[in-house]
Amino acid sequence: MATPDLSRTTPCCQGVVPPYLLQRLASAPAERSARLDTAPSVASRTLELDDEMRRRRDSTRSTVSPTAPRGAVADRLQRTIADAKNTQTLPGDVVRTEGGEPVGDPAADESYDGLGVTHALFAEVYGWSSLDGQGLPLNATVHYGEQYDNAFWDGTRMVFGDGDGEVFTRFTVSLSVIAHELAHGFTQYTSQLEYAGQSGALNESVSDVFGVLAEQRSRGQNAEDASWLVGEGLFLPDVQGSALRSMLAPGTAYDDDVLGKDPQPADMAGYVETTEDNGGVHINSGIPNRAFAEAAVALGGPAWDRLGQVWFDALTSGSLTPTADFAAFSAATVAAASARYGTGSDVYRAVVGGWTTVGLEPAGTGSASDAADEASKRT
Protein backbone atom coordinates (compact mmCIF):
# COMPACT_ATOMS: atom_id res chain seq x y z
CA MET A 1 0.00 0.00 0.00
CA ALA A 2 1.23 3.50 -0.82
CA THR A 3 2.53 5.68 2.00
CA PRO A 4 -0.37 7.77 3.32
CA ASP A 5 -0.25 11.52 2.71
CA LEU A 6 -0.85 12.67 6.27
CA SER A 7 -1.41 16.26 5.19
CA ARG A 8 -4.70 15.11 3.68
CA THR A 9 -5.75 12.02 5.59
CA THR A 10 -5.03 12.55 9.28
CA PRO A 11 -7.89 14.25 11.14
CA CYS A 12 -5.47 15.75 13.63
CA CYS A 13 -7.20 17.27 16.62
CA GLN A 14 -10.59 17.03 14.94
CA GLY A 15 -11.96 15.57 18.12
CA VAL A 16 -14.93 13.35 18.64
CA VAL A 17 -16.96 16.36 19.79
CA PRO A 18 -17.97 18.29 16.65
CA PRO A 19 -16.83 21.93 16.42
CA TYR A 20 -20.42 23.04 15.91
CA LEU A 21 -21.41 21.62 19.30
CA LEU A 22 -18.50 23.30 21.08
CA GLN A 23 -19.23 26.58 19.28
CA ARG A 24 -22.85 26.41 20.41
CA LEU A 25 -21.76 25.81 24.00
CA ALA A 26 -19.11 28.53 23.92
CA SER A 27 -21.54 31.16 22.60
CA ALA A 28 -24.56 30.20 24.69
CA PRO A 29 -26.52 33.26 25.91
CA ALA A 30 -26.24 33.86 29.63
CA GLU A 31 -29.94 33.27 30.22
CA ARG A 32 -29.66 29.81 28.71
CA SER A 33 -26.36 28.87 30.31
CA ALA A 34 -27.14 30.12 33.81
CA ARG A 35 -26.88 26.59 35.15
CA LEU A 36 -23.33 26.35 33.80
CA ASP A 37 -20.46 28.04 35.64
CA THR A 38 -17.47 27.01 33.55
CA ALA A 39 -18.58 24.95 30.54
CA PRO A 40 -18.92 27.85 28.05
CA SER A 41 -15.42 29.15 28.80
CA VAL A 42 -14.00 25.62 28.70
CA ALA A 43 -15.62 25.04 25.30
CA SER A 44 -14.10 28.27 24.01
CA ARG A 45 -10.68 27.28 25.32
CA THR A 46 -11.05 23.80 23.80
CA LEU A 47 -11.78 25.29 20.37
CA GLU A 48 -8.73 27.55 20.65
CA LEU A 49 -6.55 24.65 21.74
CA ASP A 50 -7.78 22.46 18.89
CA ASP A 51 -6.95 25.21 16.38
CA GLU A 52 -3.52 25.65 17.92
CA MET A 53 -2.85 21.92 17.81
CA ARG A 54 -3.89 21.70 14.15
CA ARG A 55 -1.57 24.57 13.21
CA ARG A 56 1.29 22.98 15.12
CA ARG A 57 0.64 19.64 13.51
CA ASP A 58 0.47 21.20 10.03
CA SER A 59 3.93 22.74 10.53
CA THR A 60 5.50 19.36 11.42
CA ARG A 61 3.62 16.91 9.20
CA SER A 62 6.60 16.19 7.00
CA THR A 63 8.50 14.74 9.95
CA VAL A 64 5.81 12.23 10.86
CA SER A 65 6.27 8.69 9.62
CA PRO A 66 3.07 6.80 8.85
CA THR A 67 4.78 3.43 8.85
CA ALA A 68 4.76 1.04 11.77
CA PRO A 69 7.49 1.91 14.32
CA ARG A 70 10.49 -0.36 14.65
CA GLY A 71 9.91 -2.94 17.29
CA ALA A 72 6.25 -3.45 16.44
CA VAL A 73 5.37 -7.11 16.76
CA ALA A 74 2.50 -8.40 14.66
CA ASP A 75 -0.39 -9.99 16.58
CA ARG A 76 0.94 -8.83 19.94
CA LEU A 77 -0.91 -6.09 21.79
CA GLN A 78 1.38 -3.33 23.03
CA ARG A 79 -0.21 -0.53 25.06
CA THR A 80 1.35 2.46 26.79
CA ILE A 81 -0.68 4.94 28.81
CA ALA A 82 0.76 8.32 29.78
CA ASP A 83 -0.53 11.13 32.00
CA ALA A 84 -0.25 14.74 30.80
CA LYS A 85 -1.19 15.92 34.31
CA ASN A 86 -3.53 18.58 32.93
CA THR A 87 -0.82 20.12 30.79
CA GLN A 88 -0.68 20.28 26.99
CA THR A 89 2.62 18.42 26.86
CA LEU A 90 2.62 15.15 24.96
CA PRO A 91 3.14 12.32 25.55
CA GLY A 92 3.27 12.92 29.31
CA ASP A 93 4.57 10.58 32.02
CA VAL A 94 4.08 6.86 31.46
CA VAL A 95 1.78 5.39 34.11
CA ARG A 96 0.88 1.95 32.71
CA THR A 97 2.40 -0.37 30.14
CA GLU A 98 1.33 -3.67 28.60
CA GLY A 99 0.64 -6.31 31.22
CA GLY A 100 0.80 -3.86 34.10
CA GLU A 101 -1.74 -3.88 36.91
CA PRO A 102 -4.52 -1.26 37.07
CA VAL A 103 -3.22 1.97 38.56
CA GLY A 104 -6.46 3.14 40.19
CA ASP A 105 -6.86 6.17 37.93
CA PRO A 106 -10.17 5.64 36.06
CA ALA A 107 -9.01 7.53 32.97
CA ALA A 108 -5.75 5.58 32.69
CA ASP A 109 -7.39 2.22 33.30
CA GLU A 110 -10.37 2.89 31.02
CA SER A 111 -8.11 3.95 28.18
CA TYR A 112 -5.92 0.87 28.67
CA ASP A 113 -8.93 -1.40 28.54
CA GLY A 114 -10.49 0.45 25.59
CA LEU A 115 -7.32 0.12 23.53
CA GLY A 116 -7.37 -3.60 24.24
CA VAL A 117 -11.01 -4.05 23.24
CA THR A 118 -10.45 -2.17 19.97
CA HIS A 119 -7.32 -4.18 19.17
CA ALA A 120 -9.27 -7.38 19.81
CA LEU A 121 -12.03 -6.37 17.38
CA PHE A 122 -9.60 -5.91 14.51
CA ALA A 123 -7.35 -8.86 15.39
CA GLU A 124 -9.91 -11.49 16.38
CA VAL A 125 -12.72 -10.64 13.96
CA TYR A 126 -10.90 -9.35 10.89
CA GLY A 127 -7.43 -10.85 11.30
CA TRP A 128 -5.88 -7.38 11.25
CA SER A 129 -3.00 -6.68 13.64
CA SER A 130 -3.54 -3.34 15.39
CA LEU A 131 -4.38 -0.27 13.28
CA ASP A 132 -1.88 -0.75 10.47
CA GLY A 133 -2.08 -4.52 10.11
CA GLN A 134 1.52 -4.77 11.30
CA GLY A 135 1.21 -4.67 15.07
CA LEU A 136 1.41 -0.91 15.60
CA PRO A 137 1.85 -0.20 19.34
CA LEU A 138 -1.14 1.62 20.79
CA ASN A 139 -0.37 4.73 22.83
CA ALA A 140 -2.68 7.04 24.76
CA THR A 141 -2.40 10.14 26.92
CA VAL A 142 -4.97 10.99 29.60
CA HIS A 143 -5.64 14.15 31.61
CA TYR A 144 -4.75 16.39 28.69
CA GLY A 145 -5.23 20.11 29.33
CA GLU A 146 -7.38 21.89 31.88
CA GLN A 147 -10.90 20.41 31.72
CA TYR A 148 -10.35 19.77 28.00
CA ASP A 149 -13.67 18.99 26.28
CA ASN A 150 -12.55 16.51 23.65
CA ALA A 151 -10.57 13.43 22.64
CA PHE A 152 -8.56 13.03 19.46
CA TRP A 153 -6.13 10.88 17.46
CA ASP A 154 -3.07 12.96 16.57
CA GLY A 155 -1.64 10.58 13.97
CA THR A 156 0.39 8.60 16.48
CA ARG A 157 -1.56 8.42 19.73
CA MET A 158 -4.90 8.85 21.47
CA VAL A 159 -5.38 11.95 23.61
CA PHE A 160 -8.18 12.31 26.18
CA GLY A 161 -9.48 15.31 28.06
CA ASP A 162 -11.21 15.22 31.44
CA GLY A 163 -14.28 17.21 30.39
CA ASP A 164 -15.68 20.37 32.00
CA GLY A 165 -17.63 18.58 34.74
CA GLU A 166 -20.89 20.31 33.79
CA VAL A 167 -21.71 19.17 30.26
CA PHE A 168 -19.05 16.52 29.67
CA THR A 169 -17.48 13.96 31.95
CA ARG A 170 -14.08 12.39 31.22
CA PHE A 171 -13.80 11.12 27.66
CA THR A 172 -12.42 7.71 28.55
CA VAL A 173 -15.80 6.75 30.03
CA SER A 174 -17.12 5.91 26.54
CA LEU A 175 -15.70 2.86 24.78
CA SER A 176 -17.23 4.01 21.49
CA VAL A 177 -15.22 7.25 21.78
CA ILE A 178 -11.97 5.37 22.40
CA ALA A 179 -12.55 3.02 19.48
CA HIS A 180 -13.80 5.88 17.27
CA GLU A 181 -10.58 7.81 17.61
CA LEU A 182 -8.40 4.73 17.18
CA ALA A 183 -10.32 3.92 14.01
CA HIS A 184 -9.06 7.19 12.55
CA GLY A 185 -5.67 5.51 12.71
CA PHE A 186 -7.06 2.48 10.87
CA THR A 187 -8.36 4.77 8.11
CA GLN A 188 -5.01 6.57 8.04
CA TYR A 189 -3.21 3.32 7.30
CA THR A 190 -5.75 1.81 4.90
CA SER A 191 -8.20 3.74 2.73
CA GLN A 192 -6.56 7.11 3.51
CA LEU A 193 -9.84 9.00 3.09
CA GLU A 194 -9.21 12.71 2.71
CA TYR A 195 -10.56 14.66 5.66
CA ALA A 196 -12.82 17.03 3.73
CA GLY A 197 -16.28 17.00 2.20
CA GLN A 198 -17.90 13.62 1.58
CA SER A 199 -14.65 11.67 1.93
CA GLY A 200 -14.16 13.40 5.29
CA ALA A 201 -17.69 12.52 6.35
CA LEU A 202 -16.91 8.93 5.40
CA ASN A 203 -13.71 9.15 7.46
CA GLU A 204 -15.81 10.19 10.45
CA SER A 205 -18.46 7.56 9.70
CA VAL A 206 -15.89 4.76 9.52
CA SER A 207 -14.74 5.76 13.00
CA ASP A 208 -18.31 5.78 14.29
CA VAL A 209 -18.95 2.36 12.73
CA PHE A 210 -15.96 0.64 14.29
CA GLY A 211 -16.45 2.62 17.50
CA VAL A 212 -19.93 1.19 18.06
CA LEU A 213 -18.89 -2.26 16.81
CA ALA A 214 -16.14 -2.44 19.43
CA GLU A 215 -18.64 -1.39 22.08
CA GLN A 216 -21.40 -3.75 20.92
CA ARG A 217 -18.98 -6.67 20.80
CA SER A 218 -17.73 -5.92 24.31
CA ARG A 219 -21.36 -5.94 25.52
CA GLY A 220 -22.36 -9.00 23.51
CA GLN A 221 -25.16 -7.06 21.82
CA ASN A 222 -26.88 -7.95 18.57
CA ALA A 223 -27.65 -5.17 16.10
CA GLU A 224 -31.34 -5.15 16.91
CA ASP A 225 -30.67 -4.74 20.64
CA ALA A 226 -27.96 -2.08 20.54
CA SER A 227 -28.45 1.66 21.12
CA TRP A 228 -26.30 2.71 18.11
CA LEU A 229 -25.16 5.73 20.10
CA VAL A 230 -21.70 7.27 19.77
CA GLY A 231 -20.41 8.77 23.00
CA GLU A 232 -23.14 7.40 25.22
CA GLY A 233 -22.39 8.37 28.82
CA LEU A 234 -20.35 11.49 27.99
CA PHE A 235 -23.14 13.93 28.84
CA LEU A 236 -23.69 14.67 32.50
CA PRO A 237 -27.23 14.38 33.96
CA ASP A 238 -28.33 18.01 33.43
CA VAL A 239 -27.88 17.72 29.65
CA GLN A 240 -30.96 16.76 27.66
CA GLY A 241 -29.32 14.18 25.47
CA SER A 242 -28.14 10.61 25.33
CA ALA A 243 -24.96 10.85 23.23
CA LEU A 244 -23.03 12.84 20.64
CA ARG A 245 -24.61 11.02 17.70
CA SER A 246 -27.18 8.37 16.92
CA MET A 247 -26.26 6.15 14.00
CA LEU A 248 -29.71 4.63 13.63
CA ALA A 249 -31.61 7.91 14.06
CA PRO A 250 -29.34 10.84 13.14
CA GLY A 251 -30.63 14.14 14.49
CA THR A 252 -32.03 12.67 17.72
CA ALA A 253 -28.98 12.29 19.97
CA TYR A 254 -29.62 15.47 21.95
CA ASP A 255 -32.08 18.36 22.20
CA ASP A 256 -30.85 20.71 24.91
CA ASP A 257 -31.59 24.35 25.75
CA VAL A 258 -27.86 25.17 25.65
CA LEU A 259 -26.48 22.73 23.08
CA GLY A 260 -29.44 23.00 20.74
CA LYS A 261 -30.78 20.10 18.72
CA ASP A 262 -28.61 17.46 17.08
CA PRO A 263 -28.30 18.75 13.48
CA GLN A 264 -27.25 15.55 11.70
CA PRO A 265 -29.31 14.70 8.59
CA ALA A 266 -30.76 11.20 8.27
CA ASP A 267 -30.62 10.99 4.47
CA MET A 268 -29.38 12.77 1.35
CA ALA A 269 -32.47 14.99 1.24
CA GLY A 270 -31.03 16.76 4.29
CA TYR A 271 -27.38 16.84 3.16
CA VAL A 272 -25.71 20.00 4.48
CA GLU A 273 -23.63 22.09 2.09
CA THR A 274 -21.14 24.03 4.22
CA THR A 275 -17.55 25.22 4.37
CA GLU A 276 -17.48 24.78 8.14
CA ASP A 277 -15.78 21.77 9.78
CA ASN A 278 -13.85 20.77 6.64
CA GLY A 279 -17.02 20.75 4.59
CA GLY A 280 -19.34 19.24 7.17
CA VAL A 281 -17.40 16.08 8.00
CA HIS A 282 -19.12 15.58 11.35
CA ILE A 283 -22.63 16.64 10.41
CA ASN A 284 -22.97 14.68 7.13
CA SER A 285 -21.44 11.53 8.58
CA GLY A 286 -24.94 10.78 9.85
CA ILE A 287 -25.97 9.67 6.37
CA PRO A 288 -23.50 6.77 5.88
CA ASN A 289 -23.85 6.02 9.59
CA ARG A 290 -27.55 5.36 9.16
CA ALA A 291 -26.94 3.28 6.03
CA PHE A 292 -24.73 0.94 8.08
CA ALA A 293 -27.06 0.82 11.09
CA GLU A 294 -30.16 0.16 8.97
CA ALA A 295 -28.35 -2.63 7.13
CA ALA A 296 -27.18 -4.14 10.42
CA VAL A 297 -30.63 -4.14 11.98
CA ALA A 298 -32.16 -5.61 8.82
CA LEU A 299 -29.54 -8.36 8.82
CA GLY A 300 -29.78 -9.02 12.55
CA GLY A 301 -27.25 -10.70 14.81
CA PRO A 302 -23.80 -9.33 15.67
CA ALA A 303 -23.15 -6.29 13.49
CA TRP A 304 -19.39 -6.67 13.85
CA ASP A 305 -19.50 -10.07 12.19
CA ARG A 306 -20.70 -10.16 8.58
CA LEU A 307 -21.63 -6.52 8.01
CA GLY A 308 -18.56 -5.24 9.81
CA GLN A 309 -16.53 -7.58 7.62
CA VAL A 310 -18.03 -5.97 4.51
CA TRP A 311 -17.00 -2.48 5.65
CA PHE A 312 -13.55 -3.78 6.59
CA ASP A 313 -13.16 -5.44 3.19
CA ALA A 314 -14.17 -2.26 1.37
CA LEU A 315 -11.71 -0.16 3.36
CA THR A 316 -8.78 -2.53 2.82
CA SER A 317 -9.57 -3.49 -0.77
CA GLY A 318 -7.47 -0.77 -2.37
CA SER A 319 -10.42 0.19 -4.57
CA LEU A 320 -11.17 3.46 -2.77
CA THR A 321 -9.41 6.69 -3.67
CA PRO A 322 -8.66 9.24 -0.92
CA THR A 323 -11.39 11.49 -2.33
CA ALA A 324 -14.07 8.79 -2.54
CA ASP A 325 -17.56 10.22 -2.15
CA PHE A 326 -20.67 8.55 -0.75
CA ALA A 327 -21.55 6.99 -4.11
CA ALA A 328 -18.08 5.47 -4.50
CA PHE A 329 -18.09 4.13 -0.96
CA SER A 330 -21.54 2.61 -1.27
CA ALA A 331 -20.44 0.91 -4.48
CA ALA A 332 -17.32 -0.42 -2.72
CA THR A 333 -19.37 -1.94 0.10
CA VAL A 334 -21.83 -3.52 -2.35
CA ALA A 335 -18.91 -4.99 -4.27
CA ALA A 336 -17.38 -6.28 -1.03
CA ALA A 337 -20.67 -7.88 0.00
CA SER A 338 -20.99 -9.51 -3.41
CA ALA A 339 -17.40 -10.77 -3.41
CA ARG A 340 -17.56 -12.35 0.04
CA TYR A 341 -21.19 -13.43 0.36
CA GLY A 342 -22.70 -13.31 -3.13
CA THR A 343 -25.48 -11.23 -4.67
CA GLY A 344 -28.07 -13.74 -3.49
CA SER A 345 -27.11 -13.33 0.15
CA ASP A 346 -28.99 -11.60 2.92
CA VAL A 347 -25.83 -9.54 3.52
CA TYR A 348 -25.90 -8.18 -0.02
CA ARG A 349 -29.59 -7.32 0.25
CA ALA A 350 -29.05 -5.61 3.60
CA VAL A 351 -26.18 -3.48 2.27
CA VAL A 352 -28.17 -2.38 -0.78
CA GLY A 353 -31.20 -1.71 1.38
CA GLY A 354 -29.23 0.37 3.88
CA TRP A 355 -27.87 2.70 1.21
CA THR A 356 -31.23 2.92 -0.53
CA THR A 357 -32.89 3.95 2.73
CA VAL A 358 -30.71 7.06 2.93
CA GLY A 359 -31.20 7.98 -0.72
CA LEU A 360 -28.00 6.48 -2.07
CA GLU A 361 -29.13 3.51 -4.12
CA PRO A 362 -25.87 1.94 -5.37
CA ALA A 363 -25.52 2.06 -9.15
CA GLY A 364 -26.45 -1.13 -10.94
CA THR A 365 -28.25 -2.76 -8.03
CA GLY A 366 -31.83 -1.65 -8.65
CA SER A 367 -34.01 -0.90 -5.65
CA ALA A 368 -33.70 -2.84 -2.42
CA SER A 369 -36.87 -4.74 -3.26
CA ASP A 370 -35.55 -5.51 -6.73
CA ALA A 371 -32.38 -6.86 -5.15
CA ALA A 372 -34.44 -9.05 -2.85
CA ASP A 373 -36.60 -10.31 -5.73
CA GLU A 374 -33.58 -11.07 -7.85
CA ALA A 375 -31.90 -12.85 -4.97
CA SER A 376 -34.97 -15.00 -4.37
CA LYS A 377 -34.85 -16.19 -7.97
CA ARG A 378 -31.32 -17.47 -7.47
CA THR A 379 -32.03 -19.32 -4.24
Side-chain angles (χ1 to χ4, degrees):
M1 181 177 291
T3 299
D5 177 0
L6 293 185
S7 67
R8 298 200 309 170
T9 63
T10 306
C12 171
C13 311
Q14 287 284 2
V16 70
V17 180
Y20 56 75
L21 194 155
L22 289 170
Q23 289 162 0
R24 176 84 183 209
L25 179 56
S27 61
E31 62 272 17
R32 289 189 178 180
S33 59
R35 61 184 168 85
L36 305 176
D37 293 327
T38 61
S41 62
V42 171
S44 180
R45 188 166 67 244
T46 297
L47 286 164
E48 292 173 358
L49 185 55
D50 286 351
D51 285 342
E52 177 187 337
M53 287 288 290
R54 279 193 292 274
R55 288 194 297 270
R56 187 183 308 157
R57 177 75 174 176
D58 287 344
S59 69
T60 60
R61 282 189 194 280
S62 61
T63 66
V64 178
S65 171
T67 58
R70 291 182 180 180
V73 178
D75 300 321
R76 195 180 84 189
L77 176 57
Q78 300 176 75
R79 291 166 287 186
T80 301
I81 311 300
D83 185 349
K85 298 181 178 179
N86 300 121
T87 71
Q88 298 162 26
T89 302
L90 295 175
D93 297 335
V94 173
V95 294
R96 189 174 178 186
T97 56
E98 188 60 41
E101 293 295 320
V103 296
D105 175 358
D109 292 333
E110 287 164 351
S111 63
Y112 180 91
D113 292 342
L115 266 58
V117 170
T118 307
H119 184 280
L121 172 70
F122 284 103
E124 296 171 10
V125 178
Y126 310 123
W128 188 258
S129 182
S130 192
L131 306 179
D132 63 347
Q134 302 178 47
L136 182 76
L138 299 180
N139 303 314
T141 295
V142 297
H143 304 306
Y144 177 77
E146 290 280 349
Q147 297 179 297
Y148 180 64
D149 265 346
N150 227 328
F152 61 87
W153 166 260
D154 77 347
T156 61
R157 70 172 44 247
M158 276 298 312
V159 181
F160 299 98
D162 290 329
D164 52 50
E166 293 179 339
V167 172
F168 294 106
T169 187
R170 64 183 183 277
F171 282 79
T172 55
V173 78
S174 171
L175 177 55
S176 61
V177 164
I178 297 173
H180 168 103
E181 292 300 331
L182 284 172
H184 278 308
F186 170 69
T187 298
Q188 172 184 323
Y189 285 101
T190 56
S191 58
Q192 305 167 34
L193 291 166
E194 183 175 330
Y195 202 65
Q198 288 194 10
S199 60
L202 288 168
N203 194 313
E204 279 297 322
S205 177
V206 166
S207 281
D208 280 352
V209 164
F210 288 106
V212 299
L213 293 186
E215 188 167 78
Q216 288 175 14
R217 185 170 184 259
S218 74
R219 295 174 175 177
Q221 293 176 327
N222 287 332
E224 58 270 31
D225 303 319
S227 70
W228 291 99
L229 297 175
V230 179
E232 188 175 16
L234 281 184
F235 287 141
L236 289 167
D238 284 345
V239 178
Q240 299 302 304
S242 53
L244 295 174
R245 291 181 286 282
S246 169
M247 291 185 63
L248 192 58
T252 68
Y254 57 87
D255 190 354
D256 182 77
D257 59 342
V258 175
L259 301 180
K261 189 178 186 304
D262 176 7
Q264 277 204 314
D267 52 41
M268 287 301 291
Y271 185 87
V272 178
E273 295 284 357
T274 179
T275 58
E276 298 295 320
D277 191 24
N278 289 63
V281 298
H282 285 93
I283 195 167
N284 289 316
S285 63
I287 298 169
N289 275 0
R290 184 180 171 213
F292 182 91
E294 291 280 1
V297 172
L299 190 60
W304 65 84
D305 186 11
R306 294 186 294 164
L307 192 63
Q309 184 71 61
V310 168
W311 255 240
F312 177 87
D313 288 351
L315 290 157
T316 56
S317 66
S319 65
L320 293 169
T321 67
T323 57
D325 59 10
F326 289 174
F329 190 79
S330 66
T333 59
V334 169
S338 175
R340 183 173 287 271
Y341 300 107
T343 57
S345 67
D346 54 351
V347 178
Y348 180 87
R349 293 194 298 273
V351 172
V352 173
W355 289 114
T356 303
T357 296
V358 300
L360 283 161
E361 181 181 312
T365 62
S367 68
S369 59
D370 288 344
D373 291 342
E374 184 62 26
S376 67
K377 295 176 184 177
R378 298 190 186 97
T379 55

